[in-house]
């Protein structure tokens, strides 16, 4: 049975289907899906709900309303919640926790991007594993126009997603990056018409959900270890890979191959 939850007073909607496809939607379309501080702080709990409690095998992140991914942080809160160094550090910690929840999710996270993808939500999209967009998508990081800097971990996500030159361009100039340029620099896996985005995202998510969970987790850990280049992360990735050799799913995969049928993986 599909399950549905809401966080931050309904401003974040979370759901997971029977086949393991989770979705977290920023549900504030009247504000172009701008996130309040409460919404940022609710994101780790939404991921834990879908992945930790309901065993989602993949999570889609999108914006409600069918027009915009997100305008980023709700700047209207900055006069109170981000007014000086002390409050800014507290606010930034909530942002960093949200980015980390995406980046370190044990299952793949797919960003489905329409319309504007600005500021903090551009950084959260950068923390996702795979990004697909329609041709209305626009990206911008306006920190230089606000006189602030983003968390170092979020900037590193941007460099990984955009590449060194485009990250510098976006951060230094605060100019927009078109969907076509985001595709050209490798930030996007695919770009499609607006009426095709949902179908392509769901097809990809379904394929991931049908794959062997332990294999996918081991692959994600290995990719993360390559970026971090720490001995601990490399050891962790190797341990995840070794677990697959003794798993029931590996036996099921072999049997399904020999029997010329689709495998049914249980994640153990």
């Amino acid at each position: 049975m599909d399950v549905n939850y809401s966080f931050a007073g309904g401003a974040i909607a979370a759901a997971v289907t029977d086949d393991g496809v989770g979705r977290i939607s920023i549900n504030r379309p009247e504000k172009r899906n701008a996130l309040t501080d409460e919404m940022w702080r609710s994101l780790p709990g939404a991921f834990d709900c879908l992945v930790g409690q309901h065993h989602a095998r993949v999570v889609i992140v999108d914006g409600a309303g069918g027009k915009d991914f997100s305008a980023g942080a709700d700047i209207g809160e900055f006069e109170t919640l981000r007014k000086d160094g002390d409050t800014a550090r507290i606010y930034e910690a909530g942002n960093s926790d949200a980015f980390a929840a995406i980046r370190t999710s044990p299952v793949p996270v797919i960003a489905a991007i329409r319309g504007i993808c600005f500021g903090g939500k551009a950084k959260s999209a950068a923390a996702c594993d795979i990004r697909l967009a329609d041709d209305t998508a626009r990206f911008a990081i306006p920190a230089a126009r606000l006189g602030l800097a983003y968390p170092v971990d979020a900037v590193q996500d941007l460099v990984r997603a955009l590449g060194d030159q485009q990250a510098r361009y976006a951060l230094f100039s605060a100019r927009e990056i078109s969907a076509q340029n985001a595709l050209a620099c490798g930030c996007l896996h695919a770009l499609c018409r607006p009426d095709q985005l949902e179908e392509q995202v769901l097809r990809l998510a379904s394929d991931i959900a049908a794959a062997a969970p332990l294999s996918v987790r081991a692959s994600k850990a290995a990719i993360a270890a390559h970026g971090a280049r720490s001995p601990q992360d490399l050891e962790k990735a190797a341990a995840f890979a070794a677990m697959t050799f003794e798993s029931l799913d590996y036996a099921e995969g072999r049997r399904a191959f020999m029997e010329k049928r689709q495998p049914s993986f249980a994640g153990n």
Side-chain angles (χ1 to χ4, degrees):
M1 181 177 180
D2 296 357
V3 294
N4 296 273
Y5 295 90
S6 64
F7 298 83
I12 292 177
V16 61
T17 63
D18 287 342
D19 60 358
V21 176
R23 186 185 295 260
I24 294 176
S25 296
I26 307 306
N27 186 26
R28 207 180 173 214
E30 73 281 3
K31 293 291 187 179
R32 306 194 83 171
N33 293 322
L35 281 81
T36 64
D37 180 60
E38 181 186 11
M39 292 167 68
W40 284 117
R41 294 180 183 279
S42 295
L43 281 172
F47 272 90
D48 181 66
C49 176
L50 297 188
V51 179
Q53 299 176 38
H54 292 285
H55 310 294
R57 297 185 176 189
V58 59
V59 176
I60 300 166
V61 177
D62 65 8
K67 291 183 178 180
D68 294 307
F69 188 68
S70 174
D74 186 340
I75 297 176
E77 292 187 325
F78 285 12
E79 282 298 311
T80 55
L81 298 181
R82 207 176 188 179
K83 63 183 179 180
D84 54 30
D86 290 339
T87 56
R89 279 186 284 273
I90 294 170
Y91 187 97
E92 187 177 272
N95 278 203
S96 288
D97 288 346
F99 303 143
I102 298 171
R103 184 188 316 113
T104 64
S105 168
V107 305
V109 183
I110 302 171
I113 305 169
R114 301 180 187 276
I116 61 173
C117 179
F118 287 1
K121 279 309 285 181
K123 297 196 300 296
S124 68
C128 294
D129 295 289
I130 302 172
R131 290 164 292 276
L132 286 79
D134 70 21
D135 52 22
T136 68
R138 297 149 52 204
F139 305 84
I141 312 292
R145 291 180 184 167
L146 293 171
L148 53 80
Y150 290 126
V152 172
D153 55 348
V155 173
Q156 291 174 333
D157 288 333
L158 282 170
V159 173
R160 284 188 288 267
L162 290 170
D164 183 83
Q165 278 297 297
Q166 284 286 10
R168 290 172 189 268
Y169 173 85
L171 287 165
F172 297 169
S173 73
R175 289 182 176 180
E176 288 188 14
I177 295 174
S178 68
Q180 290 75 18
N181 283 343
L183 178 67
C185 74
C187 178
L188 299 176
H189 167 70
L191 186 63
C192 58
R193 297 198 314 261
D195 61 334
Q196 295 177 326
L197 180 61
E198 180 69 5
E199 178 186 357
Q200 289 205 23
V201 169
L202 283 177
R203 187 181 303 165
L204 174 60
S206 296
D207 285 347
I208 293 172
L214 294 179
S215 296
V216 173
R217 184 172 184 175
S219 294
K220 178 162 181 175
I223 292 168
H226 171 73
R229 298 188 183 278
S230 77
Q232 293 82 2
D233 286 340
L234 290 168
E235 290 174 8
K236 182 179 178 181
F240 279 138
M243 287 172 59
T244 65
F245 305 146
E246 305 296 332
S247 69
L248 296 177
D249 279 352
Y250 178 41
E252 163 64 8
R254 298 197 309 272
R255 284 195 301 270
F257 180 82
M258 297 302 295
E259 295 168 7
K260 295 181 173 56
R261 59 173 175 82
Q262 291 296 317
S264 178
F265 296 118
N268 53 35

